[in-house]
Amino acid sequence: MTTSASSRDHCSRRGDLAAPCSVCGAKEFNICQPLDPARQASLYARAVRLHWARREPVFAAGQPARHVYNLTEGMVALSRSLADGRRQIFGFLLPGDFIGLEAGDAYGCDAETLSDAKACRFDRATFDAFLRDNPDVALGLVRAASSDLAQARQHELLLGRKTAVERVASFLLDLRNRAGERHLRTQPLSLPMTRSEIADYTGLTIETVSRIFGRLKSQGTIDLADATAVRVLDEARLKRLSEGAD
Amino acid sequence: MTTSASSRDHCSRRGDLAAPCSVCGAKEFNICQPLDPARQASLYARAVRLHWARREPVFAAGQPARHVYNLTEGMVALSRSLADGRRQIFGFLLPGDFIGLEAGDAYGCDAETLSDAKACRFDRATFDAFLRDNPDVALGLVRAASSDLAQARQHELLLGRKTAVERVASFLLDLRNRAGERHLRTQPLSLPMTRSEIADYTGLTIETVSRIFGRLKSQGTIDLADATAVRVLDEARLKRLSEGAD
DNA sequence: CGGTGGATTGAGGTAGATCAACATGCGTGG
DNA sequence: CCACGCATGTTGATCTACCTCAATCCACCG
């Protein structure tokens, strides 16, 4: 996992799954707005930096929502399960994403690391106060919240109406696009989640996911060095597959 | 469709699918907070009241998001479709719900009336200005937005991991609960949407939805006077069915 | 090495889709 | 008021995409 930051790009991020921002005045802190340094520092001083290993819980559904996290390194999955264990994964968070922002009094889903991960943690009260003093940042978060909803709806469409191939292709393209937006590596694209987690995201089974990866590979649409890294060889085709053509 | 409002309940709503609020100072206006009358009036004066027939578009995905609506009567469906026509319905809005709040520059989904419907329409700029002056109302909307996300995730779980029976049972219970919260009639519960729309909400087909309604009826779990009105006879059982028991 | 947790691959089963026929209700116009 | 047509809903028969179960493979690690 390599990390470096160009001094020219604001909030530029390199490497695989890390995103310290070198411009905002604080390492491993991702509110990418040119804040006045005093205010920045005051919030930063109250941030607790955390480090998890792979497959550790960040929080669980139902717990009192005392903290807000900003992920700086690694990936986190949000999910909820039925009583009998069937699980739905809502999304895979990338460095730069906030975790637990949308919660009311209690977290509404489980959050678990998929890889080694780091985050800044803020007390909810501190964070709210900070937002009250920084309406520009707050506005950004409102945008983020509305994009979460848009993404959830995209996912509903995937789960309710797409075929297995369309789901897997959409999953790959979406992850790739989001990684690209954050300047993470997209070729090969890192897949720290297991087939089981991809299955729980796409509403399929492990076996179906595996078979479809196999089919995409033998078609020459993608290449898999190992199970955790995809190289997209024919993006146009993948796009068509994700929308029901072919 | 009968409408009356008790003078004791704030924002109490009666009847089937109508929700004028008699306390907020303006008929057919649902920001249920005791606003100072001057501010209330200023926004109310700029609201345009609209009336649609059944199956009319409110707006379509991709259109510039110039307005925000507050539904006062009837039901509206939010959906998006794939190029080949497959459609996913995200939810059915009830009187009191806002429409188009979450949009960025453009609406992210199609909104269509399921019945005769009325709404107050506000210019986005007017509305935003109003919110800026009324942080309490704005806070309420933030809550509403976060509950939209919670609901979307509930729906993702339904679409990704529930069986057909569980989906239909969940749909009925959810609609019933939301109708109850707004003091709309819940017994019998009005279903202005067609089987096709229920199918597009549950990710099933018309036929499967119809068969499951039939099964629930012959079990004695529900009763259907006609296709558009359900009476829940055994709520506990319906709840168990929605969660995978039985 | 052997053991363990993924991932892949194959064979067969099934929930729900699809296709098809029919029923029902409703508005329209004669 | 009835006859017709159309939209919606129900029900049955069959099909199939994906699931389930099972075997094998593979990489990593103590």
Side-chain angles (χ1 to χ4, degrees):
Chain A
M1 205 181 283
T2 51
T3 302
S4 72
S6 122
S7 57
R8 313 186 85 189
D9 296 331
H10 175 61
C11 282
S12 161
R13 287 142 189 157
R14 292 291 142 75
D16 202 354
L17 280 173
C21 173
S22 65
V23 181
C24 291
K27 285 190 209 103
E28 308 185 355
F29 182 62
N30 283 313
I31 299 182
C32 291
Q33 311 231 358
L35 297 177
D36 124 36
R39 290 189 297 173
Q40 170 72 60
S42 84
L43 181 58
Y44 182 64
R46 297 189 214 185
V48 175
R49 265 153 297 281
L50 296 174
H51 186 191
W52 297 275
R54 179 182 163 91
R55 215 147 305 274
E56 284 194 279
V58 176
F59 52 72
Q63 285 178 352
R66 278 197 264 273
H67 301 112
V68 173
Y69 303 80
N70 183 243
L71 188 62
T72 56
E73 209 175 309
M75 258 195 230
V76 167
L78 297 183
S79 67
R80 271 194 49 190
S81 298
L82 294 170
D84 61 7
R86 280 174 288 171
R87 179 175 64 162
Q88 180 61 49
I89 290 183
F90 302 128
F92 300 113
L93 303 182
L94 296 179
D97 285 327
F98 283 92
I99 320 178
L101 251 190
E102 79 289 358
D105 294 338
Y107 296 114
C109 54
D110 301 323
E112 191 186 58
T113 58
L114 297 176
S115 60
D116 269 29
K118 293 183 183 170
C120 288
R121 190 187 77 183
F122 308 96
D123 280 346
R124 204 143 244 288
T126 309
F127 196 77
D128 287 355
F130 176 77
L131 290 185
R132 225 165 289 131
D133 296 341
N134 295 272
D136 44 341
V137 177
L139 192 64
L141 290 188
V142 171
R143 294 251 168 72
S146 119
S147 112
D148 279 356
L149 186 59
Q151 198 170 354
R153 286 180 171 166
Q154 195 64 31
H155 197 209
E156 289 177 58
L157 181 57
L158 179 150
L159 292 169
R161 288 303 184 214
K162 289 193 177 180
T163 65
V165 183
E166 288 162 13
R167 293 180 197 206
V168 173
S170 302
F171 156 70
L172 286 175
L173 286 172
D174 176 64
L175 187 61
R176 201 166 130 90
N177 289 338
R178 290 193 307 125
E181 283 167 12
R182 285 139 210 258
H183 306 99
L184 302 173
R185 177 170 299 155
T186 60
Q187 193 81 309
L189 179 66
S190 169
L191 300 178
M193 66 292 284
T194 64
R195 294 292 182 266
S196 162
E197 284 152 346
I198 298 176
D200 285 347
Y201 177 79
T202 52
L204 301 169
T205 57
I206 309 177
E207 295 93 327
T208 299
V209 170
S210 181
R211 276 184 249 273
I212 286 170
F213 271 113
R215 208 191 304 171
L216 293 175
K217 185 176 177 181
S218 66
Q219 281 176 354
T221 309
I222 64 171
D223 188 43
L224 293 167
D226 61 299
T228 69
V230 223
R231 189 173 282 278
V232 176
L233 302 179
D234 187 344
E235 177 144 27
R237 175 134 206 233
L238 198 57
K239 186 120 195 277
R240 269 180 282 124
L241 286 173
S242 77
E243 290 167 345
D246 277 43
Chain B
M1 205 182 285
T2 52
T3 301
S4 72
S6 120
S7 57
R8 316 186 86 190
D9 297 330
H10 177 60
C11 282
S12 160
R13 286 142 188 157
R14 293 292 143 75
D16 204 355
L17 279 172
C21 172
S22 64
V23 181
C24 290
K27 285 189 211 107
E28 307 185 357
F29 181 59
N30 283 313
I31 300 183
C32 291
Q33 312 229 0
L35 297 176
D36 122 39
R39 290 190 296 173
Q40 170 70 60
S42 85
L43 182 57
Y44 184 64
R46 297 188 213 185
V48 175
R49 266 153 297 281
L50 297 174
H51 186 191
W52 296 277
R54 181 182 160 90
R55 215 147 303 274
E56 284 194 280
V58 175
F59 52 72
Q63 286 179 351
R66 276 197 264 274
H67 300 111
V68 173
Y69 303 81
N70 181 244
L71 188 61
T72 54
E73 207 175 310
M75 260 195 229
V76 167
L78 298 183
S79 67
R80 272 193 48 191
S81 298
L82 294 170
D84 62 7
R86 280 174 288 172
R87 178 176 63 160
Q88 180 61 50
I89 290 183
F90 302 129
F92 300 113
L93 303 181
L94 298 178
D97 286 327
F98 282 92
I99 321 179
L101 251 191
E102 80 291 356
D105 295 340
Y107 296 114
C109 54
D110 300 323
E112 191 185 60
T113 58
L114 297 176
S115 59
D116 269 30
K118 293 182 184 171
C120 289
R121 189 186 78 183
F122 307 96
D123 280 347
R124 207 143 240 289
T126 308
F127 196 77
D128 286 354
F130 175 76
L131 290 184
R132 227 165 289 131
D133 296 341
N134 295 271
D136 45 339
V137 177
L139 191 65
L141 290 187
V142 170
R143 295 251 168 71
S146 120
S147 111
D148 279 356
L149 185 59
Q151 198 171 356
R153 287 182 170 164
Q154 194 63 31
H155 198 209
E156 288 178 58
L157 181 58
L158 178 150
L159 292 169
R161 287 305 183 212
K162 289 193 178 180
T163 65
V165 182
E166 289 162 12
R167 294 180 196 205
V168 173
S170 302
F171 156 70
L172 286 175
L173 285 173
D174 177 65
L175 188 61
R176 201 166 130 91
N177 289 338
R178 291 194 305 125
E181 281 168 13
R182 285 139 210 257
H183 305 100
L184 302 172
R185 178 171 300 159
T186 59
Q187 193 81 308
L189 179 66
S190 170
L191 299 178
M193 66 292 283
T194 64
R195 292 293 181 265
S196 163
E197 284 152 345
I198 298 175
D200 284 348
Y201 176 79
T202 52
L204 301 168
T205 57
I206 309 176
E207 295 93 327
T208 299
V209 170
S210 180
R211 277 184 249 274
I212 286 170
F213 271 113
R215 209 191 305 171
L216 293 177
K217 185 176 174 181
S218 66
Q219 280 176 354
T221 308
I222 63 169
D223 187 45
L224 294 166
D226 62 297
T228 69
V230 222
R231 188 174 283 277
V232 176
L233 302 179
D234 187 345
E235 178 143 27
R237 175 133 207 233
L238 197 57
K239 187 120 194 273
R240 269 181 280 126
L241 286 173
S242 77
E243 289 166 346
D246 280 42

